[in-house]
């Protein structure tokens, strides 16, 4: 039996049964032609059943579907990371692949915590936004702020010690940095648009001020662009407007064909984690935790 997500099974309406799809169209078993205006939760950005993507995937399947990056590498992953580095702004060049947006958020947070540990700092707090949604794994839920997702898991504000949620207002931002700036490891945001938290849009000047304050207090800025990447806000990436230190991409990354995501670090984060014995040791624990999912 299928247990459907984001629904109470007791009151669930019978789901619409899809037989095939093309472009924006979903065709039902009983002959209806529907337009999917949410692109399967903003992932199918090129449309369903796209001939070029179909051909690329079929071609790759003739060679292999998945090979871990633990101790191995291959041309498709090299091409993808080169292309991302070329497309992304600034020195966001270091690509860490994983299997979903939630896990890629976890990787970003681990990078920030590890960066902090490596420099011998005892900073222990994360700044986040009210109404934030960053996925459904436990740390992603902690930095998120959505009761719909959290109440059943006991992830309430008391248990979220070390995570501060602020409204999207510049005075609140400035106050949070004044109060906690020296204790923050990172500030994580869905830039310009909070999706699952209610399609809340906000102004880029909030992000510009956040960048200034992160520089002033030496705090890493993380953009979770799982929902906004590849043109969803009218910019290719919001990172083209304001440069984060760590960027998370997912969903549209594969046009919705497979679950896959990437956490991209800038040179400073990468070099820091790269350049000492402690850093390498802690870094490899990040790598091992993802090794089984590092596919094409
Ligand atoms: C901003 C944001 N971050 C993270 C996620 C989690 O991604 P996934 O569902 O691939 O785990 C989502 C999912 O909608 C999202 O919108």
């Amino acid at each position: 039996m299928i247990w459907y997500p984001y629904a109470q099974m007791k009151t669930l309406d019978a789901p619409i049964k899809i037989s095939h799809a093309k472009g924006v169209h979903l065709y039902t078993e009983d002959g209806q032609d529907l337009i999917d205006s949410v692109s399967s939760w903003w992932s199918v950005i090129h449309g369903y059943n796209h001939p070029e993507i179909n051909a690329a995937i079929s071609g790759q399947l003739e060679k292999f579907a998945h090979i871990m990056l633990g101790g191995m590498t291959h041309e498709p992953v090299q091409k993808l990371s080169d292309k991302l580095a070329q497309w992304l702004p600034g020195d966001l060049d270091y690509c860490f692949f994983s299997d979903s947006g939630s896990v890629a958020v976890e990787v970003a947070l681990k990078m920030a915590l590890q960066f902090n540990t490596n420099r011998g700092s005892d900073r222990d707090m994360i700044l986040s936004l009210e109404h934030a949604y960053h996925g459904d794994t436990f740390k992603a839920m902690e930095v998120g702020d959505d009761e719909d997702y959290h109440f059943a898991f006991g992830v309430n504000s008391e248990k979220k010690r070390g995570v501060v949620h602020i409204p999207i207002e510049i005075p609140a931002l400035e106050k949070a940095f004044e109060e906690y700036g020296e204790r923050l490891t990172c500030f994580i945001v869905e830039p310009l648009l909070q999706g699952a938290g209610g399609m809340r849009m906000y102004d880029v000047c909030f992000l510009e001020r956040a960048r200034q304050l992160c520089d002033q207090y030496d705090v890493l800025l993380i953009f979770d662009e799982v929902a906004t990447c590849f043109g969803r806000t009218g910019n290719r990436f919001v990172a083209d407007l304001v440069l984060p230190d760590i960027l998370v991409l997912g969903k549209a990354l594969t046009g919705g064909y497979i679950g896959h995501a990437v956490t991209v670090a800038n040179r400073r984060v990468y070099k820091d984690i790269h350049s000492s014995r402690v850093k390498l040791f802690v870094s490899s624990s990040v790598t091992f935790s993802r090794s089984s999912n590092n596919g094409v």
Side-chain angles (χ1 to χ4, degrees):
M1 171 177 158
I2 302 167
W3 192 338
Y4 291 92
Y6 307 123
Q8 163 56 276
M9 293 294 285
K10 200 162 46 177
T11 54
L12 181 74
D13 292 333
I16 303 163
K17 222 167 183 184
I18 305 298
S19 63
H20 58 291
K22 181 80 188 157
V24 297
H25 298 273
L26 298 175
Y27 300 98
T28 66
E29 280 194 352
D30 60 3
Q32 291 184 73
D33 172 357
L34 308 175
I35 289 181
D36 179 5
S37 59
V38 292
S39 327
S40 275
W41 280 328
W42 45 82
S43 62
V44 187
I45 57 166
H46 305 292
Y48 293 97
N49 210 350
H50 193 287
E52 256 180 75
I53 306 179
N54 289 0
I57 288 188
S58 304
Q60 180 57 38
L61 283 179
E62 299 293 326
K63 299 176 193 155
F64 59 85
H66 164 77
I67 290 176
M68 66 175 180
L69 294 182
M72 280 179 263
T73 194
H74 45 78
E75 198 193 342
V77 76
Q78 189 63 57
K79 270 167 79 177
L80 177 57
S81 54
D82 287 350
K83 189 150 214 170
L84 285 169
Q86 194 191 329
W87 267 39
L88 290 170
D91 58 355
L92 287 166
D93 289 343
Y94 301 89
C95 301
F96 195 106
F97 294 98
S98 60
D99 61 318
S100 69
S102 305
V103 171
V105 165
E106 300 278 340
V107 172
L109 295 171
K110 280 184 182 184
M111 281 179 180
L113 295 177
Q114 187 176 327
F115 179 86
N116 183 58
T117 306
N118 289 348
R119 51 184 187 173
S121 158
D122 58 0
R123 292 177 181 227
D124 58 354
M125 296 181 74
I126 297 174
L127 190 62
S128 176
L129 296 177
E130 289 179 0
H131 306 292
Y133 176 75
H134 294 291
D136 291 338
T137 51
F138 271 91
K139 197 69 189 173
M141 287 197 291
E142 269 184 42
V143 293
D145 177 38
D146 188 336
E147 282 309 306
D148 282 352
Y149 295 100
H150 300 158
F151 78 98
F153 298 100
V155 186
N156 52 35
S157 49
E158 235 169 64
K159 288 201 178 154
K160 286 187 175 188
R161 269 170 309 180
V163 180
V164 178
H165 295 283
I166 55 165
I168 306 175
E169 293 161 9
I170 288 179
L173 178 69
E174 291 173 341
K175 187 163 172 284
F177 271 88
E178 258 170 48
E179 208 167 330
Y180 308 112
E182 306 293 338
R183 289 182 59 191
L184 293 174
T185 55
C186 60
F187 180 26
I188 181 164
V189 296
E190 294 155 272
L192 282 194
L193 170 69
Q194 292 184 303
M199 288 297 168
R200 295 161 193 269
M201 301 202 69
Y202 61 93
D203 199 279
V204 70
C205 66
F206 181 86
L207 297 173
E208 288 163 352
R209 186 71 184 120
R211 180 68 272 176
Q212 288 169 350
L213 288 164
C214 283
D215 289 342
Q216 186 182 330
Y217 287 87
D218 204 9
V219 172
L220 294 176
L221 182 59
I222 302 175
F223 278 6
D224 173 356
E225 292 217 48
V226 169
T228 55
C229 60
F230 298 100
R232 308 308 269 171
T233 65
N235 310 284
R236 187 189 273 177
F237 306 102
V238 183
D240 288 327
L241 306 179
V242 174
L243 196 60
D245 300 292
I246 300 175
L247 176 65
V248 182
L249 309 175
K251 297 209 183 278
L253 179 67
T254 65
Y257 270 63
I258 49 173
H260 207 49
V262 63
T263 309
V264 189
N266 69 7
R267 189 167 304 118
R268 181 174 169 232
V269 172
Y270 174 79
K271 290 282 180 212
D272 179 89
I273 292 175
H274 182 265
S275 63
S276 92
R277 275 177 55 215
V278 175
K279 293 162 193 173
L280 280 170
F281 171 74
V282 183
S283 164
S284 62
S285 72
V286 175
T287 310
F288 285 135
S289 71
R290 299 300 336 125
S291 62
S292 62
N293 283 310
N294 290 336
V296 182

